[in-house]
Amino acid sequence: MQENRSSRAQWGSKFGFLMAAIGSAVGLGNIWGFPYKMGQKGGFAFLLVYLLLAIFVGFIIMNSELALGRKTGKGIIGAYNAASRRFKWVGILGVISPLLILMFYCVLGAYCMQYMFLNFSELAMGVYSKSAMTGVDSFTAMITNPFGCIIFTLLFVLLNVLVVRGGVSGGIEKFNKVGMPALFVMLLVIIGRSVTLDGAVEGLKFMFAPNFAPFSTFKGFVSVLAAAGGQMFFSLSLAMGAMITYGSYLSKDEKITKSSLVIVVCDTLVALMAGLAVIPAAFALGGEGAAMSGPKLLFITMQDVFARMGVIGPVFGIIFYGLVIIAALSSSISLMEVLVTFLIDRAELKGKPANRSKYTWLVSLVFTLGAVLVAWDGLGANGLWVPFQNSLGVIGEFNDCWLDFLDCIAEGVAMPLGALFMSIMIGWELKPQYVLEEIGQTRISRFYSFCIRFVCPAAMVLVLLGQIDQFFKLGLF
Ligand code: PHE
């Protein structure tokens, strides 16, 4: 293992690693999931539950993944192979999920690019004032135009390839070192505009007003816990092999505990900031019944918001969609790196020379096939056949488009299942000492051991049930 480590690529700097890890964490999940779930499920009360989960579960699993990666010096499959014979198979989940998520994540990234171009053309030609296209009009026009969506999806994939092909420090780190600070500044600009709009206060109330009503019943409490837990996992890029992979390129001198804390804090901060950027504006200018979550929030409500800002609107539109593109790209490259590292590890194991460029193209070819399908499907707008569409009569209907179908398998089942088995593997088979040796700190040792053995598995079971309930619309909670 020692020889392997010395030949393995490494992050160029501590800052670079942190930016890359934060870049992976900060993504579409922060921008369209967090603010809405917070608003709907108790405001400040939800935030409290989210923070507790982030400390007791997210932070613990983050430490575990980075440590597992660095200790074994391998990506997801290699790390599980090296760590445990009994749980070897869990690694496979960590290859399947990123592949499935990439298939739709890239399409969403492409949508952001299309909207950025829309705002560019509005700025250049004043298209808005002439055609008076509403957010709904432009969204419908976009998703029912498969050719355009496929072309932009290919473009977004190409951007990913260009970054990942550059390697860990020469591509991923370089992109994030510039991209993350830029994203932060752009976010501040949008927040400045959003919270000073007339009527923005209503949005702030929606997000932050403490509401304990969801907590009044056990069912309500579990539903908040599951929503917060699922959101936290996705948002922190956990149980996807991303942090194991990034950890495998981490130098022995870095303090894993500190880094984990910084990543968790920054991801939560950006989620809150994204809420401040989007929700007050949506309340002030989104109009009656404006959608507050998901693709509709981003591509219908926000586009209407920019339209109502007058001539300056497209400028804010360009900045906004630009920052979402950076957020999406920095996450999708981490998902791609999971797969590329897996192939590099495999080649090394077989004693073959590892060709990063070739693997990057190969990986992108595979997931692009799925991405083209998702782009073509246009969130179900183009009548494509979808597996199991509305056919599970017994347990309710669960998916009406390719995006939902893929998300349901990856985020709904594979992700919580992977995290559950990981905490059982570390807590009960390998014992917490396995990770503690690597993170080398005694101050949190007891806290870590307790959480990884008891809190994490318990929380993961609840999250798994909650996700299955939500994705399959079972109505349990
Ligand atoms: N954390 C990313 C987001 O919030 C998504 C992601 C999940 C990225 C898992 C990598 C791994 O959008």
Side-chain angles (χ1 to χ4, degrees):
M1 198 169 76
Q2 211 50 41
E3 304 90 58
N4 263 348
R5 286 212 61 85
S6 54
S7 64
R8 195 171 183 83
Q10 269 198 359
W11 301 104
S13 66
K14 184 190 173 105
F15 178 73
F17 157 68
L18 282 176
M19 288 302 108
I22 293 170
S24 169
V26 170
L28 297 171
N30 300 54
I31 297 166
W32 76 29
F34 183 86
Y36 182 70
K37 284 183 193 159
M38 183 169 158
Q40 241 199 355
K41 301 247 169 188
F44 215 77
F46 172 92
L47 183 62
L48 221 61
V49 175
Y50 186 92
L51 290 178
L52 286 176
L53 277 171
I55 295 165
F56 285 94
V57 183
F59 170 68
I60 297 297
I61 303 278
M62 183 68 73
N63 269 292
S64 313
E65 290 207 7
L66 291 174
L68 200 60
R70 187 170 77 177
K71 186 164 178 148
T72 58
K74 292 271 183 286
I76 178 94
I77 295 270
Y80 274 97
N81 266 339
S84 158
R85 293 181 73 194
R86 203 178 306 162
F87 288 94
K88 215 156 92 163
W89 59 275
V90 182
I92 297 169
L93 288 180
V95 170
I96 296 172
S97 321
L99 201 61
L100 299 184
I101 292 198
L102 272 168
M103 290 176 183
F104 65 82
Y105 214 83
C106 285
V107 177
L108 297 171
Y111 288 172
C112 295
M113 286 172 78
Q114 284 165 273
Y115 266 78
M116 190 165 160
F117 281 101
L118 172 67
N119 279 273
F120 266 119
S121 65
E122 280 168 18
L123 185 66
M125 312 292 170
V127 174
Y128 237 99
S129 53
K130 287 181 193 129
S131 70
M133 245 179 34
T134 62
V136 176
D137 291 338
S138 45
F139 191 59
T140 312
M142 180 180 74
I143 58 176
T144 52
N145 170 30
F147 180 67
C149 291
I150 290 172
I151 295 291
F152 275 93
T153 299
L154 296 179
L155 212 63
F156 189 81
V157 173
L158 189 67
L159 289 180
N160 276 279
V161 170
L162 291 179
V163 177
V164 174
R165 219 180 45 155
V168 175
S169 68
I172 299 176
E173 182 172 348
K174 238 187 199 163
F175 171 77
N176 281 295
K177 267 192 335 202
V178 180
M180 283 303 111
L183 178 143
F184 196 77
V185 173
M186 290 153 100
L187 204 50
L188 286 178
V189 173
I190 302 289
I191 292 175
R193 177 65 280 205
S194 171
V195 297
T196 51
L197 289 167
D198 271 345
V201 182
E202 286 311 307
L204 293 176
K205 275 194 207 147
F206 169 80
M207 256 185 91
F208 289 102
N211 164 18
F212 289 95
F215 296 80
S216 57
T217 59
F218 179 69
K219 240 174 140 173
F221 178 69
V222 175
S223 106
V224 174
L225 202 69
Q231 172 65 25
M232 182 205 69
F233 257 83
F234 188 75
S235 188
L236 287 175
S237 301
L238 296 174
M240 279 280 151
M243 293 301 167
I244 295 183
T245 304
Y246 277 13
S248 75
Y249 296 116
L250 193 58
S251 128
K252 287 276 181 199
D253 311 325
E254 297 301 348
K255 295 216 162 48
I256 286 184
T257 311
K258 245 194 197 155
S259 304
S260 303
L261 192 66
V262 174
I263 300 167
V264 174
V265 169
C266 286
D267 183 65
T268 310
L269 199 68
V270 173
L272 282 168
M273 286 172 71
L276 289 179
V278 171
I279 301 288
F283 265 85
L285 298 179
E288 274 297 299
M292 292 291 157
S293 77
K296 284 189 179 151
L297 165 68
L298 228 55
F299 303 121
I300 296 179
T301 306
M302 285 313 278
Q303 183 59 17
D304 281 336
V305 165
F306 301 126
R308 295 203 173 100
M309 286 181 181
V311 280
I312 189 85
V315 174
F316 283 105
I318 292 165
I319 298 176
F320 178 73
Y321 292 111
L323 84 84
V324 186
I325 292 170
I326 297 176
L329 197 56
S330 58
S331 296
S332 55
I333 55 180
S334 74
L335 288 165
M336 235 177 118
E337 183 58 32
V338 172
L339 303 167
V340 171
T341 295
F342 157 60
L343 293 179
I344 291 181
D345 286 351
R346 218 178 60 138
E348 275 173 1
L349 202 67
K350 289 186 178 165
K352 284 203 241 152
N355 184 340
R356 171 173 280 270
S357 190
K358 189 175 99 187
Y359 297 149
T360 308
W361 283 109
L362 186 71
V363 164
S364 56
L365 190 76
V366 174
F367 76 77
T368 300
L369 293 178
V372 165
L373 205 62
V374 176
W376 191 349
D377 183 39
L379 302 176
N382 301 317
L384 237 62
W385 171 85
V386 183
F388 306 110
Q389 187 167 31
N390 300 340
S391 63
L392 294 182
V394 201
I395 53 169
E397 53 189 58
F398 80 101
N399 64 304
D400 43 24
C401 65
W402 273 95
L403 190 152
D404 278 1
F405 173 66
L406 296 170
D407 192 28
C408 174
I409 305 174
E411 204 191 331
V413 182
M415 213 166 173
L417 213 57
L420 173 64
F421 283 114
M422 174 196 242
S423 47
I424 295 174
M425 175 183 87
I426 294 178
W428 298 94
E429 197 205 10
L430 302 172
K431 304 284 185 290
Q433 204 50 32
Y434 183 85
V435 164
L436 290 171
E437 275 165 15
E438 187 63 27
I439 61 180
Q441 278 194 4
T442 49
R443 240 192 309 160
I444 66 149
S445 300
R446 288 179 60 188
F447 174 68
Y448 177 86
S449 306
F450 177 73
C451 291
I452 195 80
R453 302 190 86 173
F454 301 103
V455 185
C456 293
M460 285 330 297
V461 169
L462 284 178
V463 170
L464 183 64
L465 286 177
Q467 292 285 74
I468 290 178
D469 176 48
Q470 190 204 332
F471 276 94
F472 293 91
K473 301 197 178 82
L474 304 184
L476 297 175
F477 305 118

Coordinates of all heavy atoms in Angstrom, one line a residue, residues 34 46-63 228-229 232-233 236 238 260-261 263-265 267-268 447 451 455-456 459:
F34 N -32.8 22.8 -0.2 CA -32.7 23.2 1.2 C -33.7 24.3 1.6 O -34.5 24.2 2.6 CB -31.3 23.6 1.5 CG -31.1 24.0 3.0 CD1 -30.8 23.1 3.9 CD2 -31.2 25.4 3.3 CE1 -30.6 23.4 5.3 CE2 -31.0 25.7 4.7 CZ -30.8 24.8 5.6
F46 N -36.7 23.3 11.7 CA -36.1 22.4 10.7 C -34.6 22.6 10.8 O -33.8 21.6 10.8 CB -36.7 22.6 9.3 CG -36.0 21.9 8.2 CD1 -36.4 20.6 7.8 CD2 -34.9 22.4 7.6 CE1 -35.8 19.9 6.8 CE2 -34.2 21.7 6.6 CZ -34.7 20.5 6.2
L47 N -34.2 23.9 10.8 CA -32.8 24.2 10.7 C -32.1 23.5 11.9 O -31.0 23.0 11.8 CB -32.6 25.7 10.7 CG -31.1 26.2 10.6 CD1 -30.5 25.7 9.4 CD2 -31.0 27.7 10.7
L48 N -32.7 23.6 13.1 CA -32.2 23.0 14.3 C -32.0 21.5 14.1 O -30.9 21.0 14.5 CB -33.2 23.3 15.4 CG -32.6 23.7 16.8 CD1 -31.8 25.0 16.6 CD2 -33.7 23.8 17.8
V49 N -33.0 20.8 13.6 CA -32.9 19.4 13.4 C -31.8 19.1 12.4 O -30.9 18.2 12.6 CB -34.2 18.8 12.9 CG1 -34.0 17.3 12.5 CG2 -35.3 19.0 13.9
Y50 N -31.7 19.9 11.3 CA -30.7 19.8 10.3 C -29.3 19.9 10.9 O -28.4 19.1 10.6 CB -30.9 20.8 9.2 CG -30.0 20.6 8.0 CD1 -30.4 19.9 6.9 CD2 -28.7 21.2 8.0 CE1 -29.5 19.7 5.8 CE2 -27.8 21.0 6.9 CZ -28.3 20.3 5.8 OH -27.4 20.1 4.8
L51 N -29.1 20.9 11.7 CA -27.8 21.1 12.3 C -27.4 20.0 13.2 O -26.2 19.5 13.2 CB -27.8 22.5 13.1 CG -27.8 23.7 12.2 CD1 -27.8 25.0 13.1 CD2 -26.7 23.8 11.2
L52 N -28.4 19.5 14.0 CA -28.0 18.4 14.9 C -27.6 17.2 14.1 O -26.6 16.5 14.4 CB -29.3 18.0 15.8 CG -29.5 19.0 16.9 CD1 -30.8 18.7 17.7 CD2 -28.4 19.0 17.9
L53 N -28.4 16.9 13.1 CA -28.0 15.8 12.2 C -26.7 16.0 11.5 O -25.9 15.0 11.4 CB -29.1 15.6 11.1 CG -30.3 14.8 11.5 CD1 -31.4 14.9 10.4 CD2 -30.0 13.3 11.8
A54 N -26.4 17.2 11.1 CA -25.1 17.5 10.4 C -24.0 17.2 11.4 O -22.9 16.7 11.0 CB -25.1 18.9 10.0
I55 N -24.2 17.5 12.7 CA -23.1 17.3 13.6 C -22.9 15.8 14.0 O -21.9 15.3 14.0 CB -23.3 18.2 14.9 CG1 -23.3 19.7 14.6 CG2 -22.3 17.8 16.0 CD1 -23.8 20.6 15.6
F56 N -24.1 15.2 14.3 CA -24.0 13.8 14.9 C -23.9 12.8 13.8 O -23.5 11.7 14.0 CB -25.3 13.5 15.7 CG -25.2 14.2 17.1 CD1 -25.8 15.4 17.3 CD2 -24.6 13.6 18.1 CE1 -25.8 16.0 18.5 CE2 -24.5 14.2 19.4 CZ -25.1 15.4 19.6
V57 N -24.3 13.1 12.6 CA -24.3 12.1 11.5 C -23.4 12.6 10.3 O -22.4 11.9 10.0 CB -25.7 11.7 11.0 CG1 -25.6 10.6 9.9 CG2 -26.6 11.3 12.2
G58 N -23.7 13.7 9.8 CA -23.0 14.2 8.6 C -21.5 14.4 8.9 O -20.6 13.8 8.1
F59 N -21.2 15.0 10.0 CA -19.8 15.3 10.3 C -19.0 13.9 10.6 O -17.9 13.7 10.2 CB -19.7 16.2 11.6 CG -18.4 16.3 12.2 CD1 -17.4 17.0 11.5 CD2 -18.1 15.8 13.5 CE1 -16.1 17.2 12.2 CE2 -16.9 16.0 14.1 CZ -15.9 16.6 13.4
I60 N -19.7 13.0 11.2 CA -19.1 11.7 11.5 C -18.9 10.9 10.2 O -17.8 10.4 10.0 CB -20.1 10.9 12.5 CG1 -20.3 11.6 13.8 CG2 -19.6 9.5 12.7 CD1 -19.0 11.8 14.6
I61 N -19.9 10.9 9.4 CA -19.7 10.1 8.1 C -18.6 10.8 7.2 O -17.9 10.1 6.5 CB -21.0 9.9 7.3 CG1 -22.1 9.3 8.2 CG2 -20.8 9.2 6.1 CD1 -22.0 7.8 8.3
M62 N -18.6 12.1 7.3 CA -17.6 12.8 6.5 C -16.2 12.4 6.9 O -15.3 12.1 6.1 CB -17.8 14.4 6.7 CG -16.9 15.3 5.9 SD -17.2 15.2 4.1 CE -18.7 16.1 4.0
N63 N -16.0 12.4 8.2 CA -14.7 12.0 8.8 C -14.4 10.6 8.3 O -13.3 10.2 7.9 CB -14.7 12.0 10.3 CG -14.3 13.3 10.9 OD1 -13.1 13.6 10.9 ND2 -15.2 14.0 11.5
A228 N -34.9 16.2 6.6 CA -33.6 16.8 6.9 C -32.4 15.9 6.7 O -31.4 16.3 6.1 CB -33.6 17.3 8.4
G229 N -32.6 14.6 7.1 CA -31.5 13.7 6.9 C -31.2 13.4 5.4 O -30.0 13.4 5.0
M232 N -29.5 16.4 4.0 CA -28.2 16.5 4.5 C -27.2 15.6 3.7 O -26.1 16.0 3.3 CB -28.1 16.3 5.9 CG -26.8 16.4 6.5 SD -26.6 15.5 8.0 CE -26.6 13.8 7.4
F233 N -27.6 14.3 3.5 CA -26.8 13.4 2.9 C -26.4 13.8 1.4 O -25.3 13.8 1.0 CB -27.4 12.0 2.9 CG -26.8 11.2 3.9 CD1 -27.2 11.2 5.2 CD2 -25.7 10.4 3.6 CE1 -26.6 10.5 6.2 CE2 -25.1 9.6 4.5 CZ -25.5 9.7 5.8
L236 N -24.2 17.0 1.4 CA -22.8 16.8 1.8 C -22.1 15.8 0.9 O -20.9 15.5 1.2 CB -22.7 16.4 3.2 CG -23.1 17.5 4.3 CD1 -23.1 16.9 5.7 CD2 -22.1 18.6 4.2
L238 N -22.4 12.7 0.6 CA -22.0 11.5 1.3 C -22.6 10.2 0.7 O -23.6 10.3 -0.1 CB -22.5 11.6 2.8 CG -21.8 12.7 3.5 CD1 -22.4 12.9 4.9 CD2 -20.3 12.5 3.6
S260 N -13.3 18.2 7.8 CA -14.7 17.8 7.8 C -15.6 18.9 8.3 O -16.6 19.1 7.8 CB -14.9 16.5 8.6 OG -14.0 15.5 8.1
L261 N -15.1 19.5 9.4 CA -15.9 20.5 10.0 C -16.1 21.7 9.1 O -17.2 22.2 8.9 CB -15.2 21.0 11.3 CG -16.0 21.9 12.2 CD1 -17.2 21.1 12.8 CD2 -15.2 22.4 13.4
I263 N -16.0 21.7 5.8 CA -16.8 21.3 4.7 C -18.3 21.4 5.1 O -19.1 21.9 4.5 CB -16.5 19.9 4.2 CG1 -15.0 19.9 3.7 CG2 -17.4 19.5 3.0 CD1 -14.5 18.5 3.4
V264 N -18.6 20.8 6.3 CA -20.0 20.8 6.8 C -20.5 22.2 7.0 O -21.6 22.5 6.6 CB -20.1 19.9 8.1 CG1 -21.5 20.0 8.6 CG2 -19.8 18.4 7.8
V265 N -19.7 23.0 7.7 CA -20.1 24.4 8.0 C -20.3 25.2 6.7 O -21.4 25.8 6.5 CB -19.1 25.1 8.9 CG1 -19.4 26.6 9.0 CG2 -19.1 24.4 10.3
D267 N -20.9 24.1 3.7 CA -22.1 23.6 2.9 C -23.4 24.1 3.4 O -24.3 24.6 2.7 CB -22.1 22.1 2.8 CG -23.2 21.6 2.0 OD1 -23.2 21.8 0.7 OD2 -24.1 20.9 2.5
T268 N -23.5 24.1 4.8 CA -24.7 24.6 5.4 C -24.9 26.1 5.2 O -26.0 26.6 4.9 CB -24.7 24.3 6.9 OG1 -24.3 22.9 7.1 CG2 -26.0 24.5 7.6
F447 N -16.8 10.7 21.2 CA -17.9 11.2 20.5 C -18.1 10.4 19.2 O -19.1 10.0 18.8 CB -17.7 12.7 20.3 CG -18.8 13.3 19.4 CD1 -20.1 13.4 19.9 CD2 -18.5 13.8 18.1 CE1 -21.1 14.0 19.1 CE2 -19.4 14.4 17.3 CZ -20.7 14.5 17.8
C451 N -21.2 7.9 18.1 CA -22.1 8.3 17.0 C -22.0 7.3 15.9 O -23.1 6.9 15.3 CB -21.7 9.7 16.4 SG -22.0 11.0 17.5
V455 N -25.7 6.4 16.8 CA -26.5 7.4 16.2 C -26.7 7.3 14.7 O -27.8 7.4 14.2 CB -25.9 8.8 16.6 CG1 -26.9 9.9 16.1 CG2 -25.7 9.0 18.1
C456 N -25.5 7.0 14.0 CA -25.6 7.0 12.6 C -26.5 5.9 12.1 O -27.4 6.1 11.2 CB -24.2 6.8 12.0 SG -23.2 8.3 12.2
A459 N -30.1 6.8 12.8 CA -30.6 7.9 11.9 C -30.8 7.4 10.5 O -31.7 7.8 9.8 CB -29.6 9.0 12.0

